Structure formats: structure tokens, C-alpha cells
Amino acid sequence: MRWICALLCFLPGTLLAEWRVLDRQQAEPGDGEPFRLKVTDGSKTAELLLIAAHPSAFTFRVVSNDEGRYGSVEDAARAEDAVAGVNGGYFQPDGTPVGLLISDNRTVHKFETAKLLSGVFFVRDGKPGLVRSQRFGKIKSVSRAIQCGPFLLEDGKSLNGLNNERSAPRTFVFMGNDSVWGFGICRSVTLAEMSQILGLHDLLGHTSLVTALNLDGGSSTQFWARSGEGAISSSALAVVANYLLLVRRAK
């Protein structure tokens, strides 16, 4: 028994910690209403802001901020009459996007092969998709796209090899197992912890996540969504180069 206890003391904390939902303030997933989640692994607590929607009622829009006309995601979302928005992909200090960026059928920046840019979120014929970057070349007629990474979740499973040392705000886009799509943020966790959190089977109640891709984070992390007569938001320290918005389809 002493040997077992001694061995457990030397195991990394991430092998022992198991995340669980602590509190869920949520409408029915897929209705386009934002909600909060609180999760814990026993020693650390993290809060998420999320929104999920069915593509039959909502669509995604990629907005380039190449002229710097939007000072925040709220500015972009209100201008585009969106129900919610989040910061998009990586960019250079001068605002030039890093990786593929397509906005309203216009290629703002070309596809890149950097290891970090492992996935592409895209919209084709009004429907969202998420694929590994190496598979994106076979997909045609894309009207909107953000190349980013790394992948946080695939086939409903957390991924190995993600950084587990640097904690920072995280932004991500995801697909659920009942065809709901959405995006969200989680503050002060590592990439490895984010992957474990998103892999919780009951994260969204009856809906679990299947695929998730990391977007830009750190000081770029921002989220805004309409909620009833008001809004909920999480602001950023920086003006970003592009945004991912959720827009209700016209009836």
C-alpha cells in the first residue's frame, strides 16, 4: 500500500483529475440562447460561456476586420444583426490574418500549412463544417472559412499531446452529436484541460460535443450574445482582425 501511495504522489495531476459539471445555467441546446457552465476537477474551477444552434434556423458568418471598422465583437455582431459573436482566427500585429480566411465569398488570406493551423471551420451552401486542414482542398464552393487550431476534440474524444503548461483564455468552435453547432470561451485553462472539459459527455446536458477547434485566444478572447432583452458578454484587451458570428436565418 505504501508503494502505491508513493507512486500516486509522483503521477501528473492531469492523470488523476477528472472534470465534471458543477453548475449549468442553460436553455435548450440549439435554440440560439447563450448559457454559462461551471466545471471543476476538484482543485480548479473554470467557467464557460457558450451558445449552440441548429443550422436549419441559424447560419455562421465570418467577418473580416481588415479596415479596423469594428472595435469589438459586439460592434461587429450589432452591425451584422447577429445573435452572437466571438473572435476568429490568428493574425499578425498589423492585422493580417494567419491562415485561410474567407469572408462572404472573398478570400482575405490564403491557406497555410503551418502545424498549428490544423483545422478549418467553413460554411458551404449555408451549412457549417469542420475538417482537418489536409482534407480541406477537396471541398469546393466555400463561402466562409477560418483556418486555425489545434483541434481540441475529434470523434467525441479528447486529444493527447496538447500543451498542459500555459493557462490562458480559450476560444473554440464546436459541433454537437445532434447536429447543433456553436462556439464559446473558457478562461484560465490549458489546451489539454480545455480538451478534457469539452470531452465531458454531459457538457451540454443531453448533447455532447463531437468535434471542437481552438480559435485565437489570450488577449483576443471575446464573446457577445443577445439574451432576452439584454446581452451577456466577455470583453477582450485587443481589437482583433476577424470575427465569427451566429445569425438567425430569415423566415
Side-chain angles (χ1 to χ4, degrees):
M1 180 64 69
R2 289 198 302 271
W3 282 105
I4 294 175
C5 292
L7 177 62
L8 291 175
C9 290
F10 287 98
L11 286 174
T14 54
L15 294 181
L16 301 175
E18 198 168 301
W19 290 90
R20 60 183 175 84
V21 176
L22 192 63
D23 183 48
R24 181 184 292 109
Q25 301 171 10
Q26 155 186 16
E28 185 67 24
D31 66 357
E33 283 290 325
F35 55 93
R36 298 178 186 271
L37 282 173
K38 189 176 289 185
V39 298
T40 183
D41 68 352
S43 61
K44 179 186 290 188
T45 299
E47 186 172 293
L48 295 86
L49 268 174
L50 298 159
I51 191 164
H54 288 284
S56 59
F58 296 85
T59 188
F60 289 90
R61 188 171 296 165
V62 175
V63 174
S64 174
N65 199 25
D66 46 348
E67 296 177 0
R69 60 192 184 276
Y70 301 127
S72 68
V73 67
E74 179 179 353
D75 292 345
R78 290 191 182 277
E80 298 286 333
D81 196 26
V83 299
V86 72
N87 62 279
Y90 302 119
F91 57 95
Q92 303 285 1
D94 65 357
T96 302
V98 174
L100 178 70
L101 186 74
I102 301 176
S103 176
D104 294 327
N105 294 297
R106 178 174 67 98
T107 300
V108 180
H109 196 267
K110 65 182 181 179
F111 181 93
E112 295 186 46
T113 57
K115 183 178 180 180
L116 177 63
L117 304 174
S118 57
V120 180
F121 171 81
F122 65 92
V123 177
R124 183 180 63 171
D125 297 330
K127 299 177 182 179
L130 249 178
V131 295
R132 284 276 177 181
S133 290
Q134 58 264 37
R135 294 177 51 202
F136 181 73
K138 299 179 180 179
I139 301 172
K140 308 300 180 185
S141 303
V142 170
S143 59
R144 300 174 177 89
I146 297 176
Q147 185 184 12
C148 212
F151 264 90
L152 299 171
L153 200 68
E154 280 189 298
D155 298 324
K157 298 178 182 178
S158 301
L159 300 183
N160 297 322
L162 294 172
N163 183 281
N164 200 28
E165 297 179 356
R166 181 174 176 267
S167 293
R170 306 289 174 191
T171 311
F172 52 90
V173 58
F174 64 83
M175 181 187 74
N177 63 352
D178 56 356
S179 298
V180 300
W181 288 79
F183 47 67
I185 66 170
C186 184
R187 294 194 174 275
S188 303
V189 295
T190 66
L191 284 170
E193 289 170 335
M194 189 75 262
S195 178
Q196 294 163 4
I197 291 169
L198 297 183
L200 290 175
H201 68 89
D202 61 343
L203 189 70
L204 304 187
H206 298 298
T207 300
S208 58
L209 304 192
V210 176
T211 309
L213 181 71
N214 187 63
L215 298 174
D216 196 4
S219 62
S220 296
T221 302
Q222 51 189 291
F223 177 102
W224 180 90
R226 301 181 191 275
S227 180
E229 297 299 317
I232 63 171
S233 65
S234 181
S235 58
L237 301 176
V239 175
V240 303
N242 50 84
Y243 301 97
L244 179 61
L245 307 180
L246 183 68
V247 180
R248 190 179 298 274
R249 292 184 183 274
K251 293 183 179 180

